[in-house]
Amino acid sequence: MAASKPQIAYLGLGTMGRGMVANLVAAGYSVTVWNRTPVDSKDLGVDVSVASTIAEAVSGADLVMYCLADDPAVRDVVQGAQGVAAHVSDDAIVVDLSTISFSAHVEEREAYEARGVRLVDAPVFGSRGEANAGGLWVVAGGDEADFARVREPLSVVAESVHYMGPSGSGVRMKLVGNYLVLAQLTALGTALSMANKAGLPVDAVLGVLKVTDFRSPIFDGVGDAVAKDDYAPDFAAKLALKDAKLLQEVGAELGLAVPVADTAQDLLERAVGEGWGDLNASALIKVIAADAGVNLAR
């Protein structure tokens, strides 16, 4: 890209998109946005152009970015006569920040390659708070020269940006990380339920978890929220269920047992069945506590 800042099209203004757009604008980028549900620029609180169609949004864009919920959402935005692949300039770079399956990534990549458009897969760790603060963590795959060209705008939305290797490497790393997230949520729910049944005060337990050599930001943040009976969504349980299923798929593909994903999928399916799908992913802890017959709130 030229020395001047690239023109950015950002598609999708959900949990992650609004924060990323605000940070890009604050850093001096010119951004055109599109959202499936129409939005007014005044509602966004930042100086952006609002396009009514994907074609309008990507027209003239040097860089197209999106962070969408799942495989079907990415297919819907990318493919087809009205999709990004049909309308983006062949000298633009597309950055997909979504968490999707490897097979969906391959479909997406092939749709762009047919037009000669370059794609960087750059899924993110973090949720609404990190997106708003510009504190996400990006794991990227693709051609290294293409990655170098988009590193600067990615650094605006992220605390750190990591190049993982060829196309698809970002997608793979995101699933590796998500396995660890689900493992920690499951372990935390079981440990807190065990402590409760053993008569240990929740505040004392959390105090230990904050200082030991196995401390974790997830244990700290989610543990405090659970003690307050706070399951307000940063990352919805229904989306965590999607990730657990993706982990099952990659495990089958690689011939690898993924026992935590098995357990988390069961817990999250039950959470969604209880009507907790729009609560935080930590709602799986509510299921663990219910099975144990305990109340983890103070």
Side-chain angles (χ1 to χ4, degrees):
M1 292 174 186
S4 60
K5 292 184 183 295
Q7 168 69 40
I8 296 175
Y10 195 101
L11 312 177
L13 297 171
T15 298
M16 311 294 282
R18 287 176 180 253
M20 288 196 224
V21 166
N23 285 305
L24 288 166
V25 172
Y29 288 90
S30 176
V31 182
T32 299
V33 301
W34 171 87
N35 196 55
R36 190 185 314 277
T37 303
V39 295
D40 189 302
S41 59
K42 294 179 181 178
D43 296 333
L44 299 176
V46 292
D47 184 16
V48 296
S49 299
V50 178
S52 59
T53 65
I54 291 173
E56 181 187 348
V58 303
S59 176
D62 304 300
L63 174 61
V64 178
M65 304 173 71
Y66 46 85
C67 186
L68 304 172
D70 51 24
D71 290 9
V74 170
R75 290 188 182 105
D76 189 48
V77 166
V78 172
Q79 300 180 34
Q82 306 306 317
V84 179
H87 295 282
V88 65
S89 169
D90 59 12
D91 61 358
I93 297 180
V94 176
V95 177
D96 184 357
L97 302 119
S98 315
T99 300
I100 56 175
S101 67
F102 188 73
S103 59
H105 163 71
V106 171
E107 289 178 30
E108 176 184 31
R109 183 181 68 208
E110 290 175 346
Y112 288 125
E113 285 178 344
R115 292 265 335 279
V117 175
R118 291 150 298 168
L119 171 68
V120 173
D121 53 292
V124 298
F125 291 110
S127 191
R128 187 195 310 271
E130 291 82 7
N132 290 342
L136 297 165
W137 299 273
V138 173
V139 287
D143 181 85
E144 194 163 5
D146 292 338
F147 168 73
R149 293 175 68 184
V150 301
R151 182 165 196 150
E152 183 178 342
L154 286 176
S155 296
V156 169
V157 304
E159 177 179 308
S160 64
V161 181
H162 305 267
Y163 178 69
M164 303 306 301
S167 179
S169 298
V171 170
R172 298 291 203 196
M173 183 62 220
K174 183 56 164 56
L175 293 175
V176 169
N178 281 0
Y179 189 85
L180 292 172
V181 170
L182 292 177
Q184 289 184 76
L185 289 175
T186 303
L188 180 63
T190 304
L192 291 179
S193 296
M194 182 190 303
N196 183 287
K197 290 183 79 73
L200 299 174
V202 65
D203 287 324
V205 172
L206 293 176
V208 172
L209 296 187
K210 290 178 187 295
V211 298
T212 57
D213 60 356
F214 52 85
R215 62 189 176 274
S216 157
I218 288 179
F219 292 167
D220 290 351
V222 174
D224 287 341
V226 167
K228 298 173 184 174
D229 200 29
D230 178 6
Y231 296 89
D234 283 320
F235 180 64
K238 62 186 179 185
L239 295 180
L241 175 57
K242 176 261 297 185
D243 289 350
K245 292 177 178 177
L246 291 180
L247 286 163
Q248 298 275 20
E249 292 176 15
V250 77
E253 175 196 343
L254 299 175
L256 177 71
V258 285
V260 169
D262 297 343
T263 301
Q265 180 174 338
D266 174 67
L267 292 169
L268 288 162
E269 285 176 342
R270 292 170 61 194
V272 171
E274 290 289 338
W276 302 334
D278 290 323
L279 297 183
N280 201 50
S282 54
L284 67 80
I285 294 175
K286 288 170 68 73
V287 177
I288 295 171
D291 286 348
V294 298
N295 179 1
L296 298 179
R298 290 187 179 94

PDB file of all heavy atoms in Angstrom, residues 83-97:
ATOM      1  N   GLY A  83     -21.840 -10.340  -3.228  1.00  0.00           N
ATOM      2  CA  GLY A  83     -20.814 -10.492  -2.214  1.00  0.00           C
ATOM      3  C   GLY A  83     -19.535  -9.726  -2.489  1.00  0.00           C
ATOM      4  O   GLY A  83     -19.332  -9.162  -3.571  1.00  0.00           O
ATOM      5  N   VAL A  84     -18.648  -9.740  -1.510  1.00  0.00           N
ATOM      6  CA  VAL A  84     -17.391  -9.013  -1.609  1.00  0.00           C
ATOM      7  C   VAL A  84     -16.567  -9.508  -2.795  1.00  0.00           C
ATOM      8  O   VAL A  84     -16.011  -8.705  -3.560  1.00  0.00           O
ATOM      9  CB  VAL A  84     -16.560  -9.169  -0.313  1.00  0.00           C
ATOM     10  CG1 VAL A  84     -15.238  -8.414  -0.443  1.00  0.00           C
ATOM     11  CG2 VAL A  84     -17.335  -8.681   0.886  1.00  0.00           C
ATOM     12  N   ALA A  85     -16.472 -10.817  -2.961  1.00  0.00           N
ATOM     13  CA  ALA A  85     -15.604 -11.372  -4.002  1.00  0.00           C
ATOM     14  C   ALA A  85     -15.991 -10.891  -5.392  1.00  0.00           C
ATOM     15  O   ALA A  85     -15.145 -10.780  -6.278  1.00  0.00           O
ATOM     16  CB  ALA A  85     -15.613 -12.900  -3.940  1.00  0.00           C
ATOM     17  N   ALA A  86     -17.265 -10.605  -5.579  1.00  0.00           N
ATOM     18  CA  ALA A  86     -17.731 -10.165  -6.902  1.00  0.00           C
ATOM     19  C   ALA A  86     -17.443  -8.696  -7.159  1.00  0.00           C
ATOM     20  O   ALA A  86     -17.437  -8.261  -8.325  1.00  0.00           O
ATOM     21  CB  ALA A  86     -19.232 -10.432  -7.037  1.00  0.00           C
ATOM     22  N   HIS A  87     -17.195  -7.923  -6.117  1.00  0.00           N
ATOM     23  CA  HIS A  87     -17.141  -6.474  -6.294  1.00  0.00           C
ATOM     24  C   HIS A  87     -15.843  -5.808  -5.836  1.00  0.00           C
ATOM     25  O   HIS A  87     -15.574  -4.669  -6.222  1.00  0.00           O
ATOM     26  CB  HIS A  87     -18.312  -5.824  -5.542  1.00  0.00           C
ATOM     27  CG  HIS A  87     -19.643  -6.193  -6.103  1.00  0.00           C
ATOM     28  ND1 HIS A  87     -20.154  -5.606  -7.253  1.00  0.00           N
ATOM     29  CD2 HIS A  87     -20.570  -7.107  -5.699  1.00  0.00           C
ATOM     30  CE1 HIS A  87     -21.335  -6.144  -7.516  1.00  0.00           C
ATOM     31  NE2 HIS A  87     -21.609  -7.051  -6.593  1.00  0.00           N
ATOM     32  N   VAL A  88     -15.043  -6.479  -5.019  1.00  0.00           N
ATOM     33  CA  VAL A  88     -13.831  -5.854  -4.511  1.00  0.00           C
ATOM     34  C   VAL A  88     -12.819  -5.677  -5.642  1.00  0.00           C
ATOM     35  O   VAL A  88     -12.745  -6.488  -6.562  1.00  0.00           O
ATOM     36  CB  VAL A  88     -13.227  -6.698  -3.366  1.00  0.00           C
ATOM     37  CG1 VAL A  88     -12.752  -8.057  -3.866  1.00  0.00           C
ATOM     38  CG2 VAL A  88     -12.104  -5.954  -2.671  1.00  0.00           C
ATOM     39  N   SER A  89     -12.051  -4.599  -5.575  1.00  0.00           N
ATOM     40  CA  SER A  89     -11.005  -4.348  -6.563  1.00  0.00           C
ATOM     41  C   SER A  89      -9.947  -5.435  -6.478  1.00  0.00           C
ATOM     42  O   SER A  89      -9.610  -5.910  -5.385  1.00  0.00           O
ATOM     43  CB  SER A  89     -10.366  -2.980  -6.301  1.00  0.00           C
ATOM     44  OG  SER A  89      -9.198  -2.822  -7.067  1.00  0.00           O
ATOM     45  N   ASP A  90      -9.408  -5.827  -7.644  1.00  0.00           N
ATOM     46  CA  ASP A  90      -8.434  -6.911  -7.628  1.00  0.00           C
ATOM     47  C   ASP A  90      -7.073  -6.488  -7.086  1.00  0.00           C
ATOM     48  O   ASP A  90      -6.176  -7.330  -6.930  1.00  0.00           O
ATOM     49  CB  ASP A  90      -8.292  -7.552  -9.013  1.00  0.00           C
ATOM     50  CG  ASP A  90      -7.846  -6.579 -10.091  1.00  0.00           C
ATOM     51  OD1 ASP A  90      -7.430  -5.461  -9.751  1.00  0.00           O
ATOM     52  OD2 ASP A  90      -7.924  -6.949 -11.279  1.00  0.00           O
ATOM     53  N   ASP A  91      -6.897  -5.211  -6.784  1.00  0.00           N
ATOM     54  CA  ASP A  91      -5.650  -4.792  -6.152  1.00  0.00           C
ATOM     55  C   ASP A  91      -5.830  -4.487  -4.664  1.00  0.00           C
ATOM     56  O   ASP A  91      -4.922  -3.975  -4.007  1.00  0.00           O
ATOM     57  CB  ASP A  91      -5.024  -3.596  -6.866  1.00  0.00           C
ATOM     58  CG  ASP A  91      -5.924  -2.361  -6.868  1.00  0.00           C
ATOM     59  OD1 ASP A  91      -7.048  -2.445  -6.342  1.00  0.00           O
ATOM     60  OD2 ASP A  91      -5.497  -1.332  -7.417  1.00  0.00           O
ATOM     61  N   ALA A  92      -7.001  -4.821  -4.137  1.00  0.00           N
ATOM     62  CA  ALA A  92      -7.259  -4.652  -2.708  1.00  0.00           C
ATOM     63  C   ALA A  92      -6.795  -5.892  -1.949  1.00  0.00           C
ATOM     64  O   ALA A  92      -6.542  -6.956  -2.528  1.00  0.00           O
ATOM     65  CB  ALA A  92      -8.742  -4.421  -2.460  1.00  0.00           C
ATOM     66  N   ILE A  93      -6.674  -5.754  -0.644  1.00  0.00           N
ATOM     67  CA  ILE A  93      -6.416  -6.885   0.242  1.00  0.00           C
ATOM     68  C   ILE A  93      -7.616  -7.036   1.164  1.00  0.00           C
ATOM     69  O   ILE A  93      -8.138  -6.046   1.688  1.00  0.00           O
ATOM     70  CB  ILE A  93      -5.135  -6.693   1.064  1.00  0.00           C
ATOM     71  CG1 ILE A  93      -3.912  -6.620   0.150  1.00  0.00           C
ATOM     72  CG2 ILE A  93      -4.961  -7.838   2.065  1.00  0.00           C
ATOM     73  CD1 ILE A  93      -2.601  -6.431   0.898  1.00  0.00           C
ATOM     74  N   VAL A  94      -8.064  -8.270   1.351  1.00  0.00           N
ATOM     75  CA  VAL A  94      -9.175  -8.568   2.247  1.00  0.00           C
ATOM     76  C   VAL A  94      -8.614  -9.195   3.522  1.00  0.00           C
ATOM     77  O   VAL A  94      -7.749 -10.082   3.465  1.00  0.00           O
ATOM     78  CB  VAL A  94     -10.179  -9.526   1.586  1.00  0.00           C
ATOM     79  CG1 VAL A  94     -11.277  -9.912   2.575  1.00  0.00           C
ATOM     80  CG2 VAL A  94     -10.783  -8.890   0.345  1.00  0.00           C
ATOM     81  N   VAL A  95      -9.092  -8.726   4.666  1.00  0.00           N
ATOM     82  CA  VAL A  95      -8.692  -9.273   5.954  1.00  0.00           C
ATOM     83  C   VAL A  95      -9.940  -9.793   6.658  1.00  0.00           C
ATOM     84  O   VAL A  95     -10.847  -9.029   6.978  1.00  0.00           O
ATOM     85  CB  VAL A  95      -8.003  -8.208   6.828  1.00  0.00           C
ATOM     86  CG1 VAL A  95      -7.659  -8.795   8.197  1.00  0.00           C
ATOM     87  CG2 VAL A  95      -6.742  -7.695   6.149  1.00  0.00           C
ATOM     88  N   ASP A  96      -9.978 -11.116   6.878  1.00  0.00           N
ATOM     89  CA  ASP A  96     -11.099 -11.731   7.579  1.00  0.00           C
ATOM     90  C   ASP A  96     -10.680 -11.989   9.020  1.00  0.00           C
ATOM     91  O   ASP A  96      -9.794 -12.800   9.292  1.00  0.00           O
ATOM     92  CB  ASP A  96     -11.501 -13.044   6.897  1.00  0.00           C
ATOM     93  CG  ASP A  96     -12.727 -13.665   7.533  1.00  0.00           C
ATOM     94  OD1 ASP A  96     -13.233 -13.116   8.532  1.00  0.00           O
ATOM     95  OD2 ASP A  96     -13.186 -14.706   7.036  1.00  0.00           O
ATOM     96  N   LEU A  97     -11.340 -11.295   9.943  1.00  0.00           N
ATOM     97  CA  LEU A  97     -11.024 -11.410  11.365  1.00  0.00           C
ATOM     98  C   LEU A  97     -11.947 -12.391  12.084  1.00  0.00           C
ATOM     99  O   LEU A  97     -11.911 -12.499  13.310  1.00  0.00           O
ATOM    100  CB  LEU A  97     -11.118 -10.027  12.021  1.00  0.00           C
ATOM    101  CG  LEU A  97     -10.191  -8.978  11.402  1.00  0.00           C
ATOM    102  CD1 LEU A  97     -10.995  -7.821  10.817  1.00  0.00           C
ATOM    103  CD2 LEU A  97      -9.198  -8.438  12.412  1.00  0.00           C
TER     104      LEU A  97
END
